[in-house]
Amino acid sequence: IYVNFYLFQKAVQLKFTNVVCVSFNKSLWEIHSCNIKAVNRYKNTFNLNSTMHLPIYTERVKAQFFKRANGYKPWLYNFQIDGCKFLSRPYNPIFLSIYKQFKNFSNFMDMRCPLLGPAIISGFYLRSELLQLPVPTGDYLLYIAWHFNKKLSAHTNISFQFIEDL
Ligand SMILES: *[C@@H]1O[C@H](CO)[C@@H](O)[C@H](O)[C@H]1NC(C)=O
Ligand SMILES: *[C@@H]1O[C@H](CO)[C@@H](O)[C@H](O)[C@H]1NC(C)=O
Ligand SMILES: *[C@@H]1O[C@H](CO)[C@@H](O)[C@H](O)[C@H]1NC(C)=O
Ligand SMILES: *[C@@H]1O[C@H](CO)[C@@H](O)[C@H](O)[C@H]1NC(C)=O
């Protein structure tokens, strides 16, 4: 396990393959853009430009990882956090490891509930050295369902590819 873990940490390729952001209530949360930009063959970035038009409390954020094998199949981690509690004091270790990946590329770290105004992620690229868990080669999808003001209000599907350096 130790040896494998070491190999996993040396992944050469960890990049986005697709991103989908859907808001069910645009008067609450408007998405101006949600896309991937290529940097080079091995690296690309995820960019999100959005605006929260009304004060938002996000007490329920549900996430599920999927791994591709004849379609996406649920993979290991499935969890739910209170987004407002998390922003004031990060507590879920899995969500924290996701958050650590992107927080320096976003304005989220300064946000507290109620959320209002721009929510931006800019130039975010994945870094395998920040993975705290062993991840086998494959195609993954992180699905997140966002509840805003107690209503399911948005979906984000972030797909990424992980290829070990062997
Ligand atoms: C959108 O959210 C606002 C604020 O929470 C709410 O008043 C409105 O009814 C929602 N609209 C829809 C279509 O759900
Ligand atoms: C986000 O989109 C809005 C509306 O299109 C635009 O005015 C603003 O400059 C964009 N912000 C960034 C950081 O790209
Ligand atoms: C985020 O930025 C801070 C300050 O520049 C830096 O100390 C920290 O290591 C960065 N974190 C990550 C995960 O890159
Ligand atoms: C996101 O992924 C889930 C799980 O594969 C799927 O059920 C859902 O339709 C996807 N949503 C969008 C907006 O792509």
Side-chain angles (χ1 to χ4, degrees), residues 80-161:
Q80 182 173 320
I81 60 159
D82 176 329
C84 289
K85 257 192 205 149
F86 184 89
L87 284 172
S88 56
R89 179 191 254 264
Y91 65 93
N92 178 299
I94 299 168
F95 217 89
L96 182 59
S97 70
I98 298 168
Y99 183 64
K100 271 190 187 153
Q101 286 266 355
F102 75 80
K103 73 169 186 179
N104 279 7
F105 302 96
S106 76
N107 65 338
F108 293 11
M109 67 188 127
D110 303 321
M111 292 169 93
R112 298 291 179 271
C113 290
L115 308 174
L116 186 62
I120 288 169
I121 298 177
S122 170
F124 164 40
Y125 60 95
L126 293 166
R127 286 165 295 173
S128 59
E129 66 272 20
L130 294 181
L131 290 177
Q132 280 154 356
L133 301 158
V135 176
T137 285
D139 289 303
Y140 296 88
L141 168 75
L142 172 61
Y143 165 72
I144 306 182
W146 304 88
H147 287 75
F148 294 155
N149 303 338
K150 301 198 189 317
K151 250 177 122 174
L152 178 61
S153 302
H155 279 171
T156 54
N157 278 9
I158 315 290
S159 312
F160 56 95
Q161 187 174 58

Side-chain angles (χ1 to χ4, degrees), residues 56-67:
I56 290 176
Y57 288 89
T58 181
E59 300 96 339
R60 233 173 123 200
V61 179
K62 284 180 79 170
Q64 167 76 61
F65 277 99
F66 291 84
K67 185 171 191 290

Side-chain angles (χ1 to χ4, degrees), residues 9-124:
Q9 299 304 356
K10 285 178 67 187
V12 276
Q13 194 164 309
L14 177 58
K15 63 177 200 178
F16 299 106
T17 49
N18 192 34
V19 295
V20 181
C21 310
V22 180
S23 172
F24 304 135
N25 185 341
K26 293 179 178 60
S27 55
L28 201 55
W29 189 37
E30 186 180 1
I31 299 163
H32 309 296
S33 61
C34 166
N35 56 39
I36 297 172
K37 287 188 181 124
V39 175
N40 59 40
R41 200 170 154 227
Y42 305 103
K43 185 172 157 185
N44 58 17
T45 64
F46 170 39
N47 302 277
L48 170 74
N49 178 359
S50 70
T51 307
M52 285 153 167
H53 290 297
L54 295 167
I56 290 176
Y57 288 89
T58 181
E59 300 96 339
R60 233 173 123 200
V61 179
K62 284 180 79 170
Q64 167 76 61
F65 277 99
F66 291 84
K67 185 171 191 290
R68 192 149 81 184
N70 297 316
Y72 283 107
K73 301 279 151 55
W75 181 73
L76 294 184
Y77 309 108
N78 169 349
F79 49 95
Q80 182 173 320
I81 60 159
D82 176 329
C84 289
K85 257 192 205 149
F86 184 89
L87 284 172
S88 56
R89 179 191 254 264
Y91 65 93
N92 178 299
I94 299 168
F95 217 89
L96 182 59
S97 70
I98 298 168
Y99 183 64
K100 271 190 187 153
Q101 286 266 355
F102 75 80
K103 73 169 186 179
N104 279 7
F105 302 96
S106 76
N107 65 338
F108 293 11
M109 67 188 127
D110 303 321
M111 292 169 93
R112 298 291 179 271
C113 290
L115 308 174
L116 186 62
I120 288 169
I121 298 177
S122 170
F124 164 40

